[in-house]
Amino acid sequence: MSASAADGTVNTHGADGPAATGDGTRAVRAGLPDPVKYEPTLPGPVFAAHFHLPGEPTGPYTYGRDENPTWTLLEQAITELEAPGREDVETLVFASGMAAISSVLFSQLRAGDAVVLPDDGYQALPLVKAQLEAYGIEVRTAPTGGDAQLEVLEGARLLWIESPSNPGLDVCDIRRLTEAAHAQGTLVAVDNTLATPLGQRPLELGADFAVASGTKQLSGHGDILLGYVTGRNDEAMAGVRRWRKIVGAIPGPMEAWLAHRSIATLQLRVDQQAATALALAEALRAHPEVTGLRYPGLPDDPSHAVATQQMRRFGCVVSFTLPTRERAERFLGALRLVDDATSFGGVRSTAERRGRWGGDAVPEGFIRLSVGVEDPEDLVADVLRALEESAG
Ligand SMILES: *Cc1c(COP(=O)(O)O)cnc(C)c1O
């Protein structure tokens, strides 16, 4: 499923560096500076609150809340993945996915504006909704599936899309929604956390912003929090940059460097995790106690048709429902290779009963399972064994 030159994109590394046309090549070289003799390929983290700055205080590096060379390389790497070949696009990195999301919403919206959010998106969105409303912004919500956000779009300043949605794994037609939004002057942001830029490139589908949590599969090891916003290098992005400076929601250099290092294996991880997720979904489909099984890569999944139009890989999250809360808890307790933990996208498989948090509109027995890089046979066998052993 890896991309090729057939997708028409070419990325160059530096002015005369090697062209990367496949996702693996692009990921392993993303954001690397031109080679310098005796310097490492990926320079280490730059720890600096301030930089030597005699005379006029102009950039590129002045104060550590505004810029950092380690961010610059990571931002370049993410741009190369989200928008290969585009010179007019930039990325800003943040302390977390929520910092990135809030920076777009709060920098673009004013009192009196209307915004459309998904009603089945990330669990912190209801908190954001309450805060936006407190600032006099009208918040409309609609489900991701069936492109239902179209029905409440009229006159909105910003449309917020999360596709696939977390945790329900519904998918909407990003290009269709974006065209309708742009026809009336509405900006569009897409939360690309679940897909990663190797799974989906929202800017190519027309969106103004690709926003994501780098905490999940992008960095993939469950050891850092990070977020980013990618968009055209214009006034809107200048607003996002200004917001980052005002709020100071910046990543530490160590986190930025770890994320950059981890991107080198992104294609290996997303391909392996997607293949195993599909194998697991196929194995679960036959199980009598499993209902509501969702994985956009399953040919008969309700999301599959739209997902194949706009996604290049289908992600590492499989969701399904067991009959009761107790049944789901016994299953989670019986797993050996899957940790009972929240979040997703890491190299080690995790699963949780999503209803334990409240906030998501899911059944009590709903399980969100994130597939790691274990051998597919081991993982599938562990899940099926745990289902058997925890039955009855
Ligand atoms: C986790 C997540 C976020 C928030 O990211 P943090 O890094 O935890 O702040 C936002 N959107 C989606 C879809 C997520 O899964």
Side-chain angles (χ1 to χ4, degrees):
M1 268 203 275
S2 82
S4 69
D7 68 13
T9 56
V10 174
N11 181 48
T12 56
H13 169 252
D16 51 6
T21 54
D23 282 344
T25 315
R26 193 178 286 130
V28 85
R29 299 219 62 91
L32 298 183
D34 289 333
V36 176
K37 196 172 183 182
Y38 307 131
E39 292 293 325
T41 308
L42 176 62
V46 176
F47 297 103
H50 55 84
F51 300 86
H52 286 296
L53 191 66
E56 283 303 305
T58 53
Y61 301 108
T62 59
Y63 185 60
R65 179 161 28 76
D66 296 339
E67 309 96 2
N68 174 287
T70 311
W71 304 351
T72 306
L73 297 179
L74 174 61
E75 290 171 340
Q76 178 60 30
I78 295 170
T79 300
E80 288 172 20
L81 299 180
E82 281 283 358
R86 292 270 303 263
E87 296 291 330
D88 60 336
V89 166
E90 66 177 337
T91 296
L92 296 167
V93 289
F94 288 84
S96 67
M98 283 314 300
I101 290 171
S102 296
S103 293
V104 172
L105 291 169
F106 290 99
S107 69
Q108 305 303 310
L109 297 168
R110 307 276 178 278
D113 285 344
V115 59
V116 176
L117 302 182
D119 69 8
D120 51 355
Y122 185 61
Q123 62 171 353
L125 288 185
L127 298 174
V128 174
K129 175 176 186 280
Q131 191 63 55
L132 289 165
E133 286 170 345
Y135 289 152
I137 295 156
E138 182 198 343
V139 180
R140 305 175 191 158
T141 62
T144 298
D147 300 344
Q149 288 178 305
L150 279 176
E151 284 152 39
V152 291
L153 197 56
E154 198 180 332
R157 165 109 184 103
L158 177 69
L159 166 63
W160 193 271
I161 291 171
E162 187 178 307
S163 180
S165 61
N166 168 25
L169 302 179
D170 268 323
V171 168
C172 60
D173 185 337
I174 295 174
R175 198 181 287 280
R176 178 173 178 232
L177 265 71
T178 300
E179 279 169 9
H182 285 172
Q184 56 162 38
T186 303
L187 287 168
V188 178
V190 176
D191 185 325
N192 206 27
T193 303
L194 205 136
T196 84
L198 295 196
Q200 169 173 284
R201 299 202 287 246
L203 265 55
E204 288 179 3
L205 299 168
D208 301 285
F209 303 102
V211 185
S213 169
T215 309
K216 313 290 169 55
Q217 202 175 15
L218 185 84
S219 63
H221 292 69
D223 48 13
I224 58 167
L225 278 93
L226 191 94
Y228 70 85
V229 180
T230 305
R232 249 187 332 280
N233 183 352
D234 61 11
E235 229 175 279
M237 276 302 273
V240 178
R241 184 185 289 277
R242 185 167 156 273
W243 190 264
R244 181 176 71 174
K245 179 184 171 90
I246 295 170
V247 182
I250 55 166
M254 190 69 200
E255 281 75 8
W257 183 82
L258 280 168
H260 198 166
R261 191 182 77 154
S262 302
I263 284 174
T265 57
L266 183 60
Q267 184 258 347
L268 297 175
R269 289 184 283 110
V270 292
D271 278 350
Q272 164 95 1
Q273 288 171 265
T276 307
L278 181 60
L280 179 66
E282 278 166 349
L284 284 172
R285 171 204 252 152
H287 199 280
E289 281 186 290
V290 168
T291 56
L293 174 69
R294 296 299 303 267
Y295 181 65
L298 269 180
D300 56 355
D301 188 273
S303 292
H304 189 68
V306 184
T308 46
Q309 278 173 42
Q310 65 193 21
M311 297 183 74
R312 300 153 74 236
R313 296 173 174 87
F314 300 112
C316 63
V317 178
V318 175
S319 65
F320 56 96
T321 300
L322 292 174
T324 62
R325 170 183 175 155
E326 291 67 33
R327 178 73 189 88
E329 284 172 347
R330 284 203 311 276
F331 163 67
L332 291 170
L335 290 162
R336 289 185 199 135
L337 297 180
V338 183
D339 296 331
D340 190 342
T342 193
S343 199
F344 62 85
V347 288
R348 284 170 285 274
S349 293
T350 57
E352 70 172 337
R353 199 179 63 78
R354 196 61 186 169
R356 66 180 172 169
W357 295 96
D360 292 317
V362 292
E364 284 291 328
F366 180 95
I367 304 273
R368 185 182 70 185
L369 197 153
S370 170
V371 170
V373 299
E374 299 86 1
D375 291 297
E377 316 78 62
D378 289 345
L379 187 72
V380 171
D382 190 52
V383 169
L384 295 180
R385 180 201 49 75
L387 274 172
E388 291 319 312
E389 285 183 16
S390 60

